[in-house]
Amino acid sequence: QVHLQESGPGLVKPSETLSLMCNVSGDSIRIDDYFWSWFRQPPGKGLEWIGYISHTGTTHYNPSLASRLTVSVDTSKNQFSLSLASVTAADTAVYFCGRVKEVWGGYCDYWGRGTLVTVSS
Amino acid sequence: EIVLTQFPATLSVSPGERVTLSCRASRSFFSNLAWYQHKPGQAPRLLIYAAFTRATGVPARFSARGSGTDFTLTISSLQPEDFGVYYCQQYETWPPELTFGGGTKVEIK
């Protein structure tokens, strides 16, 4: 059973960088055929895909966020991370990490519980 | 971008009833569609992938069908634990641009 756990600051100031980590347990992150992904859900709204990375470092990003986004992977620690620059109140959301099966764009077969990040001064 | 529209937005249903949730796509595709269940404070749960294939451990009361622009998820006999928000998600496009529907909230009467 794969388990994912998000961690990071719950409060970020406007114009600063939001940084989150996802720790993966129960399986190695070094597996083919999967991407390691970030999603978010603003308060009262639906889910949004942010972007994902393979264990070899190949990334794919949501075009609406790509200019501010970096997703990276640390296979030695079985972790991957999210960095979103120049945040505004619109980036306030619950952020989820997940494992995406590599089938066309992919679907997420394991998710973390999510962590709330609030952008406010 | 493929836009997914889910309806109804909310359903209030008694245990034992049959429930059908709908997901309509802005353009046609074959079967790269998934369904998830999400309860407050929990990790979303994959129910269905490839439009109609149940994920591991998902009870048989959950079934799905569809292709083209219209997809449905059916719960044959609603159980109290089935409350939550249900989302559809397409993974048809490459380069990837995963998109979700707005969700259907299922409430237990």
Short mmCIF file of all heavy atoms in Angstrom, two decimals, chain A residues 12-46:
data_model
loop_
_atom_site.label_atom_id
_atom_site.label_comp_id
_atom_site.label_asym_id
_atom_site.label_seq_id
_atom_site.Cartn_x
_atom_site.Cartn_y
_atom_site.Cartn_z
N VAL A 12 1.85 31.41 3.71
CA VAL A 12 2.86 32.01 2.84
C VAL A 12 2.42 33.44 2.52
O VAL A 12 1.24 33.68 2.28
CB VAL A 12 3.03 31.20 1.54
CG1 VAL A 12 4.12 31.82 0.65
CG2 VAL A 12 3.36 29.75 1.84
N LYS A 13 3.39 34.35 2.50
CA LYS A 13 3.06 35.75 2.21
C LYS A 13 2.94 35.98 0.70
O LYS A 13 3.63 35.32 -0.09
CB LYS A 13 4.13 36.68 2.78
CG LYS A 13 4.14 36.77 4.31
CD LYS A 13 5.19 37.76 4.77
CE LYS A 13 5.04 38.07 6.25
NZ LYS A 13 5.05 36.89 7.10
N PRO A 14 2.09 36.90 0.30
CA PRO A 14 1.98 37.22 -1.13
C PRO A 14 3.34 37.61 -1.69
O PRO A 14 4.16 38.24 -1.01
CB PRO A 14 1.02 38.42 -1.13
CG PRO A 14 0.21 38.26 0.10
CD PRO A 14 1.13 37.66 1.13
N SER A 15 3.56 37.21 -2.92
CA SER A 15 4.78 37.42 -3.72
C SER A 15 5.92 36.49 -3.33
O SER A 15 6.93 36.44 -4.04
CB SER A 15 5.28 38.88 -3.63
OG SER A 15 6.00 39.10 -2.43
N GLU A 16 5.76 35.70 -2.27
CA GLU A 16 6.81 34.77 -1.88
C GLU A 16 6.61 33.42 -2.60
O GLU A 16 5.72 33.26 -3.42
CB GLU A 16 6.85 34.61 -0.37
CG GLU A 16 7.26 35.90 0.33
CD GLU A 16 7.52 35.72 1.81
OE1 GLU A 16 7.13 34.68 2.37
OE2 GLU A 16 8.10 36.66 2.42
N THR A 17 7.47 32.47 -2.26
CA THR A 17 7.44 31.16 -2.90
C THR A 17 6.84 30.11 -1.97
O THR A 17 7.25 30.01 -0.80
CB THR A 17 8.84 30.72 -3.34
OG1 THR A 17 9.32 31.64 -4.35
CG2 THR A 17 8.83 29.31 -3.92
N LEU A 18 5.87 29.38 -2.48
CA LEU A 18 5.24 28.28 -1.76
C LEU A 18 6.06 27.03 -2.02
O LEU A 18 6.31 26.67 -3.19
CB LEU A 18 3.81 28.11 -2.28
CG LEU A 18 2.85 27.09 -1.72
CD1 LEU A 18 1.42 27.47 -2.10
CD2 LEU A 18 3.15 25.68 -2.20
N SER A 19 6.47 26.35 -0.95
CA SER A 19 7.27 25.12 -1.09
C SER A 19 6.65 24.01 -0.27
O SER A 19 6.39 24.18 0.92
CB SER A 19 8.70 25.37 -0.63
OG SER A 19 9.34 26.34 -1.44
N LEU A 20 6.41 22.89 -0.92
CA LEU A 20 5.85 21.72 -0.25
C LEU A 20 6.66 20.47 -0.60
O LEU A 20 7.27 20.40 -1.67
CB LEU A 20 4.40 21.49 -0.68
CG LEU A 20 3.38 22.55 -0.27
CD1 LEU A 20 2.03 22.25 -0.91
CD2 LEU A 20 3.26 22.65 1.24
N MET A 21 6.62 19.51 0.31
CA MET A 21 7.30 18.24 0.11
C MET A 21 6.26 17.14 0.20
O MET A 21 5.28 17.24 0.94
CB MET A 21 8.35 18.04 1.20
CG MET A 21 9.22 16.82 1.02
SD MET A 21 10.43 17.05 -0.28
CE MET A 21 11.46 18.30 0.48
N CYS A 22 6.48 16.08 -0.55
CA CYS A 22 5.65 14.88 -0.45
C CYS A 22 6.54 13.69 -0.17
O CYS A 22 7.44 13.37 -0.96
CB CYS A 22 4.87 14.65 -1.74
SG CYS A 22 3.77 13.21 -1.67
N ASN A 23 6.31 13.05 0.95
CA ASN A 23 7.07 11.86 1.31
C ASN A 23 6.30 10.62 0.88
O ASN A 23 5.11 10.48 1.19
CB ASN A 23 7.32 11.83 2.81
CG ASN A 23 8.25 10.70 3.20
OD1 ASN A 23 9.43 10.72 2.89
ND2 ASN A 23 7.71 9.69 3.88
N VAL A 24 6.97 9.73 0.20
CA VAL A 24 6.35 8.50 -0.30
C VAL A 24 6.86 7.32 0.50
O VAL A 24 8.07 7.16 0.69
CB VAL A 24 6.66 8.29 -1.79
CG1 VAL A 24 6.01 7.00 -2.31
CG2 VAL A 24 6.21 9.49 -2.61
N SER A 25 5.93 6.49 0.98
CA SER A 25 6.32 5.27 1.68
C SER A 25 5.49 4.11 1.14
O SER A 25 4.46 4.30 0.51
CB SER A 25 6.12 5.42 3.19
OG SER A 25 4.78 5.73 3.49
N GLY A 26 5.97 2.90 1.38
CA GLY A 26 5.27 1.72 0.92
C GLY A 26 5.67 1.24 -0.46
O GLY A 26 5.29 0.16 -0.89
N ASP A 27 6.44 2.04 -1.16
CA ASP A 27 6.96 1.66 -2.47
C ASP A 27 8.07 2.62 -2.84
O ASP A 27 8.14 3.74 -2.31
CB ASP A 27 5.86 1.70 -3.53
CG ASP A 27 6.18 0.83 -4.76
OD1 ASP A 27 7.31 0.28 -4.82
OD2 ASP A 27 5.32 0.71 -5.65
N SER A 28 8.92 2.19 -3.75
CA SER A 28 9.99 3.07 -4.20
C SER A 28 9.46 4.08 -5.20
O SER A 28 8.62 3.77 -6.04
CB SER A 28 11.11 2.25 -4.84
OG SER A 28 12.06 3.12 -5.42
N ILE A 29 10.00 5.29 -5.10
CA ILE A 29 9.65 6.32 -6.07
C ILE A 29 10.31 6.04 -7.42
O ILE A 29 9.96 6.61 -8.44
CB ILE A 29 10.02 7.71 -5.52
CG1 ILE A 29 9.13 8.80 -6.10
CG2 ILE A 29 11.50 8.01 -5.73
CD1 ILE A 29 9.25 10.14 -5.39
N ARG A 30 11.31 5.11 -7.39
CA ARG A 30 12.08 4.80 -8.59
C ARG A 30 11.40 3.74 -9.43
O ARG A 30 12.02 2.73 -9.81
CB ARG A 30 13.49 4.29 -8.23
CG ARG A 30 14.39 5.27 -7.57
CD ARG A 30 15.82 4.69 -7.54
NE ARG A 30 16.70 5.47 -6.72
CZ ARG A 30 16.97 5.19 -5.44
NH1 ARG A 30 16.42 4.15 -4.87
NH2 ARG A 30 17.80 5.94 -4.75
N ILE A 31 10.12 3.89 -9.70
CA ILE A 31 9.43 2.90 -10.53
C ILE A 31 9.04 3.53 -11.85
O ILE A 31 8.69 4.70 -11.91
CB ILE A 31 8.18 2.34 -9.82
CG1 ILE A 31 7.29 3.46 -9.27
CG2 ILE A 31 8.58 1.39 -8.71
CD1 ILE A 31 5.98 2.95 -8.73
N ASP A 32 9.13 2.75 -12.88
CA ASP A 32 8.69 3.21 -14.19
C ASP A 32 7.17 3.18 -14.26
O ASP A 32 6.50 2.60 -13.41
CB ASP A 32 9.27 2.31 -15.29
CG ASP A 32 10.77 2.42 -15.39
OD1 ASP A 32 11.31 3.51 -15.10
OD2 ASP A 32 11.42 1.42 -15.74
N ASP A 33 6.62 3.83 -15.23
CA ASP A 33 5.19 3.83 -15.53
C ASP A 33 4.35 4.65 -14.57
O ASP A 33 3.12 4.54 -14.57
CB ASP A 33 4.63 2.40 -15.58
CG ASP A 33 5.32 1.54 -16.60
OD1 ASP A 33 5.72 2.09 -17.64
OD2 ASP A 33 5.48 0.34 -16.35
N TYR A 34 5.00 5.47 -13.74
CA TYR A 34 4.27 6.35 -12.85
C TYR A 34 4.89 7.73 -12.85
O TYR A 34 6.09 7.89 -13.02
CB TYR A 34 4.24 5.82 -11.41
CG TYR A 34 3.35 4.61 -11.24
CD1 TYR A 34 3.89 3.33 -11.31
CD2 TYR A 34 1.98 4.75 -11.04
CE1 TYR A 34 3.08 2.22 -11.18
CE2 TYR A 34 1.16 3.64 -10.90
CZ TYR A 34 1.72 2.38 -10.97
OH TYR A 34 0.91 1.29 -10.84
N PHE A 35 4.03 8.72 -12.64
CA PHE A 35 4.45 10.07 -12.38
C PHE A 35 4.08 10.42 -10.94
O PHE A 35 3.13 9.88 -10.39
CB PHE A 35 3.75 11.07 -13.32
CG PHE A 35 4.23 11.03 -14.75
CD1 PHE A 35 3.42 10.53 -15.75
CD2 PHE A 35 5.48 11.53 -15.10
CE1 PHE A 35 3.85 10.51 -17.08
CE2 PHE A 35 5.91 11.51 -16.41
CZ PHE A 35 5.09 11.00 -17.40
N TRP A 36 4.81 11.36 -10.38
CA TRP A 36 4.55 11.83 -9.02
C TRP A 36 4.03 13.25 -9.13
O TRP A 36 4.72 14.14 -9.65
CB TRP A 36 5.83 11.71 -8.19
CG TRP A 36 6.28 10.28 -8.19
CD1 TRP A 36 7.18 9.70 -9.03
CD2 TRP A 36 5.76 9.23 -7.38
NE1 TRP A 36 7.27 8.36 -8.79
CE2 TRP A 36 6.42 8.03 -7.77
CE3 TRP A 36 4.82 9.17 -6.34
CZ2 TRP A 36 6.16 6.80 -7.17
CZ3 TRP A 36 4.56 7.94 -5.74
CH2 TRP A 36 5.23 6.78 -6.15
N SER A 37 2.82 13.46 -8.63
CA SER A 37 2.03 14.60 -9.08
C SER A 37 1.57 15.49 -7.92
O SER A 37 1.46 15.06 -6.77
CB SER A 37 0.78 14.08 -9.81
OG SER A 37 0.04 15.14 -10.38
N TRP A 38 1.29 16.73 -8.26
CA TRP A 38 0.67 17.68 -7.36
C TRP A 38 -0.67 18.13 -7.93
O TRP A 38 -0.80 18.36 -9.13
CB TRP A 38 1.57 18.89 -7.14
CG TRP A 38 2.80 18.59 -6.34
CD1 TRP A 38 4.05 18.33 -6.82
CD2 TRP A 38 2.89 18.48 -4.92
NE1 TRP A 38 4.91 18.07 -5.78
CE2 TRP A 38 4.23 18.17 -4.59
CE3 TRP A 38 1.98 18.65 -3.86
CZ2 TRP A 38 4.67 18.01 -3.28
CZ3 TRP A 38 2.41 18.48 -2.56
CH2 TRP A 38 3.74 18.16 -2.28
N PHE A 39 -1.63 18.27 -7.01
CA PHE A 39 -2.96 18.80 -7.32
C PHE A 39 -3.31 19.83 -6.25
O PHE A 39 -2.67 19.88 -5.20
CB PHE A 39 -4.03 17.70 -7.27
CG PHE A 39 -3.77 16.51 -8.15
CD1 PHE A 39 -2.99 15.46 -7.71
CD2 PHE A 39 -4.31 16.44 -9.42
CE1 PHE A 39 -2.74 14.36 -8.51
CE2 PHE A 39 -4.09 15.34 -10.24
CZ PHE A 39 -3.29 14.30 -9.78
N ARG A 40 -4.32 20.62 -6.51
CA ARG A 40 -4.80 21.53 -5.47
C ARG A 40 -6.30 21.74 -5.58
O ARG A 40 -6.90 21.48 -6.64
CB ARG A 40 -4.07 22.87 -5.52
CG ARG A 40 -4.36 23.72 -6.73
CD ARG A 40 -3.55 25.01 -6.68
NE ARG A 40 -3.85 25.90 -7.79
CZ ARG A 40 -3.27 27.08 -7.97
NH1 ARG A 40 -2.34 27.52 -7.10
NH2 ARG A 40 -3.60 27.84 -9.00
N GLN A 41 -6.88 22.23 -4.48
CA GLN A 41 -8.31 22.49 -4.43
C GLN A 41 -8.53 23.78 -3.66
O GLN A 41 -8.46 23.79 -2.42
CB GLN A 41 -9.06 21.33 -3.77
CG GLN A 41 -10.56 21.51 -3.75
CD GLN A 41 -11.27 20.29 -3.22
OE1 GLN A 41 -10.76 19.59 -2.36
NE2 GLN A 41 -12.46 20.02 -3.74
N PRO A 42 -8.78 24.88 -4.36
CA PRO A 42 -9.09 26.13 -3.65
C PRO A 42 -10.37 25.98 -2.84
O PRO A 42 -11.23 25.15 -3.16
CB PRO A 42 -9.27 27.13 -4.79
CG PRO A 42 -8.56 26.52 -5.97
CD PRO A 42 -8.74 25.04 -5.80
N PRO A 43 -10.53 26.78 -1.81
CA PRO A 43 -11.72 26.67 -0.95
C PRO A 43 -13.00 26.80 -1.78
O PRO A 43 -13.17 27.73 -2.56
CB PRO A 43 -11.57 27.86 0.00
CG PRO A 43 -10.11 28.14 0.04
CD PRO A 43 -9.59 27.79 -1.31
N GLY A 44 -13.89 25.83 -1.61
CA GLY A 44 -15.18 25.86 -2.28
C GLY A 44 -15.14 25.54 -3.76
O GLY A 44 -16.16 25.66 -4.45
N LYS A 45 -13.98 25.14 -4.26
CA LYS A 45 -13.85 24.86 -5.70
C LYS A 45 -13.43 23.41 -5.94
O LYS A 45 -13.24 22.64 -5.00
CB LYS A 45 -12.84 25.82 -6.33
CG LYS A 45 -13.28 27.28 -6.26
CD LYS A 45 -12.34 28.17 -7.06
CE LYS A 45 -12.81 29.62 -7.03
NZ LYS A 45 -11.91 30.51 -7.82
N GLY A 46 -13.27 23.05 -7.20
CA GLY A 46 -12.92 21.69 -7.56
C GLY A 46 -11.41 21.48 -7.61
O GLY A 46 -10.61 22.35 -7.29
#
